[in-house]
Amino acid sequence: MRSPAMHVISAASAVGLLLAASMPGSAQQKSDPKSLEQHKTSPGGKYEPSLDVLGGSKLEPPGAKEGVPTLSPAEFQAANQLYFERCAGCHGVLRKGATGKPLTPDVTKPLGFDYLRDFITYGSPAGMPNWGTSGEMPKDQIELMAKYLLNEPAQPPEFGMKEIKATWKVTVPVDKRPKAKANKIDIDGLFSVTLRDTGEIALIDGATKKIATVIKTGYAVHISRMSASGRYLYAIGRDAKVDLIDLWMDPPQTVAEIKIGAEARSIETSKAKGWEDKYAIAGAYWPPQYVIMNGDTLEPLKVVSTRGMTYDTQEYHPEPRVAAIVASHFHPEFVVNVKETGQILMVNYQDLDNLRVSSIGAERFLHDGGLDSTRRYFLVAANARNTVAVVDLKDRKLVRLIREKDGIGDKPHPGRGANFVHPKFGPVWATSHLGDETIALIGTDPVKHKESAWKVVQVLKGQGGGSLFIKTHPKSKNLYVDTPLNPEAEISASVAAFDIANLEKPYEALPIGQWSGISVGQRRVTQGEFNKAGDEIWFSVWNAKDQESAIVVVDDRTRKLKTVIRDKRLVTPTGKFNVMNTRKDVY
């Protein structure tokens, strides 16, 4: 069953299956119901991004083949939905393998229907969830999925420049927009808050804690990014819809929109000197590509496929998805992370007609990351490989791969990470983990603290696995770590606060869920975000769509409750992005 989370949380496919058992030359491991008591799936193992927007696509079932169960159009559509919701993020849209193993008929047919059904039902000690006996999937869904996996994979449609341009709309032309700020809002103080399940963002005033306006967007906005000047806000939904919002208008409103594919996660704007607000770039999960657009209209200018060879084995991958994108402050370049191939692309936007792209082979399954405090170095987690890659954006080269043997834990998931000055090791960047309770601190100063640079200098112990985000601020003395995916309700409803000046001290657990005043629901607490002054931090208390959610504001100096934002319009609030911190890359 999918757990809620910012990056679309799902269990590693019901079909996560087969694994070593189904690969040539390996022993077949049979499911054993007696082993279920020992079978535990860690929070990290339950986290895989899924492509559930694609589940709504109308795809035709394959034709009948001898020995393959025939599915009606309705059955095929239902199975397709189930696969995209629970499995595609791990095994790929085309079932050719991504983080997980391939599930194409050449692998599944030799195993047969009974094996697939039983494996999904009972799971295995190796990490496959027992979907049937846990009650998370009914018998009819399990049997349908087993049949679906014996058929040829669905083929989602491509989405090229013609299709992209057909979705492009400019609702307020540039010459009709204000020449100066037309509202009284402190724009740098604004928070853009994702209302995940309503397809909206709420703009909340950082001073009054009141909602200034709610704006319709794409489905389940993944991130909000701001133009370098702070005038424009770009929101991208998991349905690959980009909304351009003019924060100068009264009230702020959408002035342009576009779809750059069928499924997406990332967007960024140009930040190099002289190129501020010039371009925006969005990356898609499907089709695997990125699109460069005009910054003030979203007019699509260049679409580039990321299909290609894996960095290590040099094998072709048909759907290497675009993960995090950051903007270089040293060169007119976007840094595009290609998940499945492990390639970090330095996309130079000086001349789009003669686009120059440099490729840095890093590690497969690149996910999320952020800049160090100098903004020269980019640290990105390849979470399925328990690795953090460090890239020098000034010299355009890979600095180091920091691996599990070096102190990286199980499935690092930093968000953008957290920068602070360690009392002993100098500047560090920190990541928490999905799969365990550790927080890894990595030295980031190769000049004054050369002996500590690009090494895990300290490992902290937090509340447990299931962390999505870690946060601090240059003016803060605290380091905050959330655990929204932890199976313990008390832990998922709280955050750990560490004293940066004395990291040997035990963390303090802040009962954010309790402070919210909400007494029903899971109350998952996630994604701390500081205000522009750096003296308070906001946390989302994320409940189900039909339950009350809230935002809890904590006084950073005292770690005490400051206020609770409760509003019936705050439906499933997740990501929060302060305008100033986001546009200036402060984290």
Side-chain angles (χ1 to χ4, degrees), residues 160-179:
M161 181 60 85
K162 177 183 176 182
E163 290 78 15
I164 292 170
K165 276 195 170 182
T167 70
W168 174 47
K169 298 177 183 177
V170 178
T171 51
V172 182
V174 174
D175 61 359
K176 301 296 184 183
R177 299 174 197 169
K179 305 301 181 187

mmCIF file of all heavy atoms in Angstrom, residues 160-179:
data_model
loop_
_atom_site.group_PDB
_atom_site.id
_atom_site.type_symbol
_atom_site.label_atom_id
_atom_site.label_comp_id
_atom_site.label_asym_id
_atom_site.label_seq_id
_atom_site.Cartn_x
_atom_site.Cartn_y
_atom_site.Cartn_z
ATOM 1 N N GLY A 160 6.326 14.979 -27.937
ATOM 2 C CA GLY A 160 7.343 15.805 -28.567
ATOM 3 C C GLY A 160 6.962 17.277 -28.605
ATOM 4 O O GLY A 160 5.983 17.704 -27.991
ATOM 5 N N MET A 161 7.722 18.052 -29.357
ATOM 6 C CA MET A 161 7.506 19.497 -29.405
ATOM 7 C C MET A 161 6.097 19.845 -29.895
ATOM 8 O O MET A 161 5.467 20.778 -29.381
ATOM 9 C CB MET A 161 8.552 20.163 -30.294
ATOM 10 C CG MET A 161 8.425 21.676 -30.380
ATOM 11 S SD MET A 161 8.571 22.517 -28.772
ATOM 12 C CE MET A 161 10.356 22.658 -28.645
ATOM 13 N N LYS A 162 5.577 19.092 -30.856
ATOM 14 C CA LYS A 162 4.233 19.369 -31.363
ATOM 15 C C LYS A 162 3.197 19.248 -30.248
ATOM 16 O O LYS A 162 2.338 20.127 -30.081
ATOM 17 C CB LYS A 162 3.894 18.408 -32.500
ATOM 18 C CG LYS A 162 2.486 18.574 -33.048
ATOM 19 C CD LYS A 162 2.199 17.532 -34.132
ATOM 20 C CE LYS A 162 0.756 17.637 -34.625
ATOM 21 N NZ LYS A 162 0.451 16.605 -35.645
ATOM 22 N N GLU A 163 3.290 18.164 -29.473
ATOM 23 C CA GLU A 163 2.334 17.939 -28.393
ATOM 24 C C GLU A 163 2.543 18.950 -27.258
ATOM 25 O O GLU A 163 1.580 19.414 -26.628
ATOM 26 C CB GLU A 163 2.472 16.518 -27.855
ATOM 27 C CG GLU A 163 2.007 15.427 -28.796
ATOM 28 C CD GLU A 163 3.010 15.106 -29.899
ATOM 29 O OE1 GLU A 163 4.193 15.529 -29.790
ATOM 30 O OE2 GLU A 163 2.621 14.441 -30.874
ATOM 31 N N ILE A 164 3.790 19.292 -26.990
ATOM 32 C CA ILE A 164 4.082 20.263 -25.939
ATOM 33 C C ILE A 164 3.509 21.626 -26.304
ATOM 34 O O ILE A 164 2.831 22.282 -25.499
ATOM 35 C CB ILE A 164 5.607 20.352 -25.704
ATOM 36 C CG1 ILE A 164 6.125 19.046 -25.098
ATOM 37 C CG2 ILE A 164 5.950 21.529 -24.794
ATOM 38 C CD1 ILE A 164 7.638 18.941 -25.054
ATOM 39 N N LYS A 165 3.754 22.066 -27.532
ATOM 40 C CA LYS A 165 3.274 23.380 -27.956
ATOM 41 C C LYS A 165 1.746 23.460 -27.942
ATOM 42 O O LYS A 165 1.175 24.524 -27.688
ATOM 43 C CB LYS A 165 3.803 23.720 -29.352
ATOM 44 C CG LYS A 165 5.197 24.317 -29.340
ATOM 45 C CD LYS A 165 5.530 24.975 -30.658
ATOM 46 C CE LYS A 165 6.829 25.770 -30.544
ATOM 47 N NZ LYS A 165 7.169 26.461 -31.801
ATOM 48 N N ALA A 166 1.097 22.334 -28.183
ATOM 49 C CA ALA A 166 -0.371 22.330 -28.196
ATOM 50 C C ALA A 166 -0.951 22.603 -26.809
ATOM 51 O O ALA A 166 -2.110 23.003 -26.685
ATOM 52 C CB ALA A 166 -0.883 20.996 -28.723
ATOM 53 N N THR A 167 -0.145 22.407 -25.754
ATOM 54 C CA THR A 167 -0.632 22.639 -24.387
ATOM 55 C C THR A 167 -0.264 24.030 -23.868
ATOM 56 O O THR A 167 -0.699 24.415 -22.784
ATOM 57 C CB THR A 167 -0.034 21.601 -23.415
ATOM 58 O OG1 THR A 167 1.370 21.865 -23.236
ATOM 59 C CG2 THR A 167 -0.225 20.188 -23.936
ATOM 60 N N TRP A 168 0.549 24.764 -24.610
ATOM 61 C CA TRP A 168 1.101 26.034 -24.128
ATOM 62 C C TRP A 168 0.063 27.146 -24.207
ATOM 63 O O TRP A 168 -0.549 27.367 -25.248
ATOM 64 C CB TRP A 168 2.338 26.391 -24.952
ATOM 65 C CG TRP A 168 2.935 27.736 -24.670
ATOM 66 C CD1 TRP A 168 3.205 28.270 -23.451
ATOM 67 C CD2 TRP A 168 3.329 28.707 -25.647
ATOM 68 N NE1 TRP A 168 3.760 29.518 -23.594
ATOM 69 C CE2 TRP A 168 3.852 29.820 -24.930
ATOM 70 C CE3 TRP A 168 3.310 28.751 -27.037
ATOM 71 C CZ2 TRP A 168 4.335 30.956 -25.570
ATOM 72 C CZ3 TRP A 168 3.797 29.885 -27.677
ATOM 73 C CH2 TRP A 168 4.300 30.970 -26.952
ATOM 74 N N LYS A 169 -0.139 27.822 -23.093
ATOM 75 C CA LYS A 169 -1.086 28.939 -23.044
ATOM 76 C C LYS A 169 -0.462 30.110 -22.285
ATOM 77 O O LYS A 169 0.092 29.923 -21.199
ATOM 78 C CB LYS A 169 -2.380 28.531 -22.329
ATOM 79 C CG LYS A 169 -3.161 27.411 -22.993
ATOM 80 C CD LYS A 169 -4.376 27.043 -22.150
ATOM 81 C CE LYS A 169 -5.132 25.863 -22.750
ATOM 82 N NZ LYS A 169 -6.272 25.454 -21.884
ATOM 83 N N VAL A 170 -0.573 31.290 -22.862
ATOM 84 C CA VAL A 170 -0.198 32.516 -22.160
ATOM 85 C C VAL A 170 -1.497 33.257 -21.874
ATOM 86 O O VAL A 170 -2.127 33.796 -22.778
ATOM 87 C CB VAL A 170 0.762 33.392 -22.984
ATOM 88 C CG1 VAL A 170 1.079 34.684 -22.236
ATOM 89 C CG2 VAL A 170 2.053 32.628 -23.296
ATOM 90 N N THR A 171 -1.921 33.265 -20.627
ATOM 91 C CA THR A 171 -3.205 33.872 -20.281
ATOM 92 C C THR A 171 -3.098 35.375 -20.034
ATOM 93 O O THR A 171 -4.074 36.106 -20.201
ATOM 94 C CB THR A 171 -3.784 33.186 -19.029
ATOM 95 O OG1 THR A 171 -2.787 33.170 -18.003
ATOM 96 C CG2 THR A 171 -4.184 31.759 -19.342
ATOM 97 N N VAL A 172 -1.925 35.821 -19.622
ATOM 98 C CA VAL A 172 -1.682 37.258 -19.467
ATOM 99 C C VAL A 172 -0.356 37.578 -20.162
ATOM 100 O O VAL A 172 0.716 37.237 -19.656
ATOM 101 C CB VAL A 172 -1.597 37.673 -17.983
ATOM 102 C CG1 VAL A 172 -1.398 39.191 -17.870
ATOM 103 C CG2 VAL A 172 -2.844 37.242 -17.216
ATOM 104 N N PRO A 173 -0.403 38.211 -21.345
ATOM 105 C CA PRO A 173 0.837 38.529 -22.064
ATOM 106 C C PRO A 173 1.750 39.426 -21.237
ATOM 107 O O PRO A 173 1.287 40.155 -20.332
ATOM 108 C CB PRO A 173 0.341 39.250 -23.318
ATOM 109 C CG PRO A 173 -1.085 38.829 -23.464
ATOM 110 C CD PRO A 173 -1.601 38.621 -22.083
ATOM 111 N N VAL A 174 3.028 39.402 -21.562
ATOM 112 C CA VAL A 174 4.022 40.160 -20.805
ATOM 113 C C VAL A 174 3.674 41.645 -20.768
ATOM 114 O O VAL A 174 3.790 42.306 -19.726
ATOM 115 C CB VAL A 174 5.434 39.941 -21.395
ATOM 116 C CG1 VAL A 174 6.450 40.841 -20.696
ATOM 117 C CG2 VAL A 174 5.845 38.475 -21.263
ATOM 118 N N ASP A 175 3.217 42.181 -21.904
ATOM 119 C CA ASP A 175 2.939 43.623 -21.942
ATOM 120 C C ASP A 175 1.672 44.014 -21.188
ATOM 121 O O ASP A 175 1.380 45.208 -21.021
ATOM 122 C CB ASP A 175 2.882 44.127 -23.382
ATOM 123 C CG ASP A 175 1.783 43.467 -24.202
ATOM 124 O OD1 ASP A 175 1.060 42.603 -23.662
ATOM 125 O OD2 ASP A 175 1.644 43.807 -25.396
ATOM 126 N N LYS A 176 0.904 43.038 -20.731
ATOM 127 C CA LYS A 176 -0.299 43.310 -19.943
ATOM 128 C C LYS A 176 -0.059 43.118 -18.443
ATOM 129 O O LYS A 176 -0.970 43.308 -17.639
ATOM 130 C CB LYS A 176 -1.443 42.395 -20.382
ATOM 131 C CG LYS A 176 -1.819 42.520 -21.852
ATOM 132 C CD LYS A 176 -2.358 43.907 -22.190
ATOM 133 C CE LYS A 176 -2.808 43.971 -23.643
ATOM 134 N NZ LYS A 176 -3.269 45.333 -24.010
ATOM 135 N N ARG A 177 1.130 42.743 -18.079
ATOM 136 C CA ARG A 177 1.452 42.522 -16.678
ATOM 137 C C ARG A 177 1.942 43.828 -16.036
ATOM 138 O O ARG A 177 2.366 44.751 -16.741
ATOM 139 C CB ARG A 177 2.530 41.434 -16.550
ATOM 140 C CG ARG A 177 2.086 40.090 -17.118
ATOM 141 C CD ARG A 177 3.210 39.071 -17.119
ATOM 142 N NE ARG A 177 2.898 37.954 -18.014
ATOM 143 C CZ ARG A 177 3.760 37.019 -18.384
ATOM 144 N NH1 ARG A 177 5.010 37.062 -17.918
ATOM 145 N NH2 ARG A 177 3.396 36.064 -19.215
ATOM 146 N N PRO A 178 1.915 43.909 -14.702
ATOM 147 C CA PRO A 178 2.337 45.134 -14.026
ATOM 148 C C PRO A 178 3.790 45.496 -14.334
ATOM 149 O O PRO A 178 4.641 44.610 -14.482
ATOM 150 C CB PRO A 178 2.164 44.797 -12.543
ATOM 151 C CG PRO A 178 1.249 43.641 -12.494
ATOM 152 C CD PRO A 178 1.456 42.869 -13.751
ATOM 153 N N LYS A 179 4.061 46.789 -14.427
ATOM 154 C CA LYS A 179 5.428 47.268 -14.638
ATOM 155 C C LYS A 179 6.179 47.351 -13.311
ATOM 156 O O LYS A 179 7.409 47.448 -13.295
ATOM 157 C CB LYS A 179 5.420 48.643 -15.302
ATOM 158 C CG LYS A 179 4.626 48.698 -16.596
ATOM 159 C CD LYS A 179 5.146 47.719 -17.640
ATOM 160 C CE LYS A 179 4.338 47.814 -18.943
ATOM 161 N NZ LYS A 179 4.716 46.767 -19.911
#
